[in-house]
């Protein structure tokens, strides 16, 4: 992979009247001619749906819908179902709303109640049959999707000792990962046929975990590595045995691989791992940083190591709460911040390297074009 040389701001999106907490790209957009689209949620109690308009003269991003008059307090988190048909929004009003997308019109079709207070995060499982929520009440709730847009709570997971900041399903396994103000990441698995969920592993300070609040986590494309970010100003990379994970239904433990420290100098609120293995992080230092695995190790390091690819200081005027890579082939990143804005970014000079033979053909074609230009310009030969 050729390393990117810079980060270009494509557009700043304004419309929210309070801090923007979270972003979620619609997973079925950006392919087969479907324009990229994402949702944003805010302290202004609304959710906005944004869509790329490539046919416009400026190739702009436009707000297509504003979802309001449902939540009565801050909307903290949003997540699309795998089909892109439903959007779940979690709010400080202690509810999670389910919105159905019908031809670009959004209708609230269900409201999930049960958490004692603020709901902080929401996540769909890979099949879209289950939804997980977490909150300030230290619990993780699992909801099963029923016919008629009904949702049944099938489990309430208790184990964290403080506010649960984020919940995330594994991309291919029936596992839930939750991170908390108690400085830990907990991994939950269904150990039976009767929704008997249990904590199967805790990643804490005693096993090279974080020493302060864990704010977010993200998986690589293969699902065998995970990155976490924290109030302790570090990013941590975790791994599991991919071969064992693929060959058994039993839980395969995760282990600490390395720690990235000395980069951000304030709380790291968000992290996201791209399909082509670039980690983006956003923090309270108003900076976005990008990391890649270091292929030039000296042989003294046991396991993978990572290096900073580039950084964008003053990416926003205030704390960056969310960074999210888009689906599709392009390296597009969206960021959201306390300044009430969303920014769309593109990595410049970044692409997957061609195979040597293809690259040689391209170089030969370029040489032929240059030679033809010289003949035409000087001698008039065509």
């Amino acid at each position: 992979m050729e390393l990117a040389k810079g980060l270009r701001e494509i557009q700043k999106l304004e419309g929210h009247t309070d801090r923007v907490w979270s972003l979620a790209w619609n997973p079925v957009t950006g392919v087969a001619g479907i324009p990229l689209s994402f949702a944003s949620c805010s302290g202004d109690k609304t959710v906005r749906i944004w869509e790329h308009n490539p046919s416009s003269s400026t190739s702009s991003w436009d707000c297509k819908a504003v979802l309001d008059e449902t939540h009565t307090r801050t909307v903290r988190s949003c997540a699309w179902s795998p089909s892109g048909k439903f959007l779940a929004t979690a709010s400080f009003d202690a509810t999670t709303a389910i919105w159905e997308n019908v031809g670009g019109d959004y209708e609230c079709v269900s409201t999930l109640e049960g958490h004692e207070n603020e709901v902080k995060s929401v996540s769909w499982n890979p099949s879209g049959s289950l939804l997980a929520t977490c909150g300030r009440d230290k619990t993780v709730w699992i909801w099963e999707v029923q016919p008629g847009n009904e949702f049944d709570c099938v489990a309430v997971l208790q184990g964290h000792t403080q506010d649960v900041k984020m919940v995330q399903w594994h991309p291919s396994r029936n596992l839930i990962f939750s991170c908390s103000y108690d400085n830990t990441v907990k991994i939950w698995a269904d150990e039976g046929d009767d929704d008997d969920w249990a904590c199967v592993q805790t990643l804490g300070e005693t096993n090279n975990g974080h020493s302060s609040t864990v704010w977010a986590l993200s998986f690589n494309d293969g699902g065998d590595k995970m990155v976490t970010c924290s109030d302790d100003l570090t990013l941590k990379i975790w791994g599991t045995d991919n071969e064992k994970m693929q060959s058994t239904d039993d839980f395969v433990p995760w282990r600490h691989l390395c720690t990235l420290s000395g980069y951000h100098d304030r709380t790291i609120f968000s992290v996201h791992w791209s399909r082509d293995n670039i980690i983006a992080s956003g923090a309270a230092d108003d900076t976005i940083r990008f990391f890649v695995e270091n292929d030039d190790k000296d042989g003294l390091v046991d396991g993978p190591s990572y290096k900073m690819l580039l950084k964008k200081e003053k990416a926003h005027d205030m704390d960056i709460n969310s960074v999210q890579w888009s689906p599709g082939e392009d390296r597009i990143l969206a960021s959201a911040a306390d300044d009430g804005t969303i920014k769309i970014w593109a990595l410049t000079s970044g692409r997957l390297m061609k195979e040597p033979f293809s690259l040689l053909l391209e170089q030969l074609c370029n040489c032929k074009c240059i030679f033809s230009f010289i003949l035409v310009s000087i001698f008039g030969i065509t």
Side-chain angles (χ1 to χ4, degrees), residues 25-26 29-30 34-38 50-52 61 326-328 330 332:
W25 292 91
N26 188 320
T29 64
I34 302 173
L36 281 168
S37 177
F38 68 90
W50 306 85
E51 185 177 291
H52 185 216
W61 292 79
S326 71
D330 296 330
I332 302 295

Side-chain angles (χ1 to χ4, degrees), residues 49-290:
I49 309 297
W50 306 85
E51 185 177 291
H52 185 216
N53 183 6
S55 61
S56 67
S57 58
T58 57
S59 187
S60 64
W61 292 79
D62 304 318
C63 181
K64 291 296 185 179
V66 179
L67 315 185
D68 56 7
E69 299 181 355
T70 294
H71 290 298
T72 58
R73 293 184 63 193
T74 290
V75 186
R76 180 63 178 84
S77 174
C78 53
W80 295 92
S81 65
S83 67
K85 184 178 180 181
F86 295 98
L87 177 70
T89 57
S91 171
F92 285 3
D93 64 13
T95 71
T96 300
I98 308 297
W99 306 80
E100 184 175 8
N101 176 10
V102 182
D105 293 326
Y106 292 82
E107 178 186 358
C108 182
V109 295
S110 189
T111 300
L112 314 185
E113 299 178 343
H115 283 283
E116 294 177 7
N117 38 46
E118 293 100 320
V119 187
K120 297 294 184 74
S121 180
V122 60
S123 176
W124 299 84
N125 75 335
S127 67
S129 61
L130 296 171
L131 188 74
T133 58
C134 67
R136 187 181 173 188
D137 60 9
K138 310 172 189 176
T139 65
V140 175
W141 289 50
I142 303 175
W143 309 81
E144 186 174 29
V145 182
Q146 301 290 341
N149 295 323
E150 296 290 332
F151 289 76
D152 287 346
C153 177
V154 295
V156 177
L157 312 182
Q158 297 177 318
H160 283 293
T161 59
Q162 297 289 340
D163 181 355
V164 187
K165 297 294 187 184
M166 184 181 188
V167 64
Q168 186 71 44
W169 289 87
H170 186 270
S172 61
R173 307 286 287 187
N174 215 29
L175 297 171
I176 298 173
F177 291 68
S178 57
C179 49
S180 169
Y181 192 75
D182 65 13
N183 309 346
T184 71
V185 176
K186 287 186 178 291
I187 307 172
W188 311 83
D190 186 357
E191 295 193 314
D193 297 328
D194 54 352
D195 297 310
D196 185 20
W197 288 81
C199 179
V200 291
Q201 189 176 9
T202 299
L203 306 177
E205 194 168 4
T206 56
N207 48 6
N208 297 309
H210 291 286
S211 59
S212 191
T213 302
V214 188
W215 278 95
L217 62 90
S218 180
F219 297 96
N220 70 340
D221 195 45
D224 61 337
K225 289 180 184 175
M226 171 179 68
V227 58
T228 55
C229 65
S230 170
D231 185 56
D232 65 12
L233 312 186
T234 71
L235 299 165
K236 289 183 179 286
I237 310 294
W238 308 83
T240 189
D241 190 317
N242 196 35
E243 289 187 9
K244 283 186 179 179
M245 185 173 64
Q246 299 297 332
S247 62
T248 180
D249 290 331
D250 296 334
F251 173 71
V252 181
W254 289 70
R255 66 190 185 281
H256 174 262
L257 298 178
C258 66
T259 297
L260 285 67
S261 60
Y263 295 102
H264 290 287
D265 56 18
R266 293 187 64 192
T267 301
I268 309 170
F269 288 124
S270 182
V271 65
H272 198 214
W273 207 322
S274 77
R275 294 176 312 283
D276 52 355
N277 287 319
I278 301 176
I279 297 171
S281 60
D285 59 10
D286 312 339
T287 301
I288 301 174
R289 284 176 162 82
F290 299 87

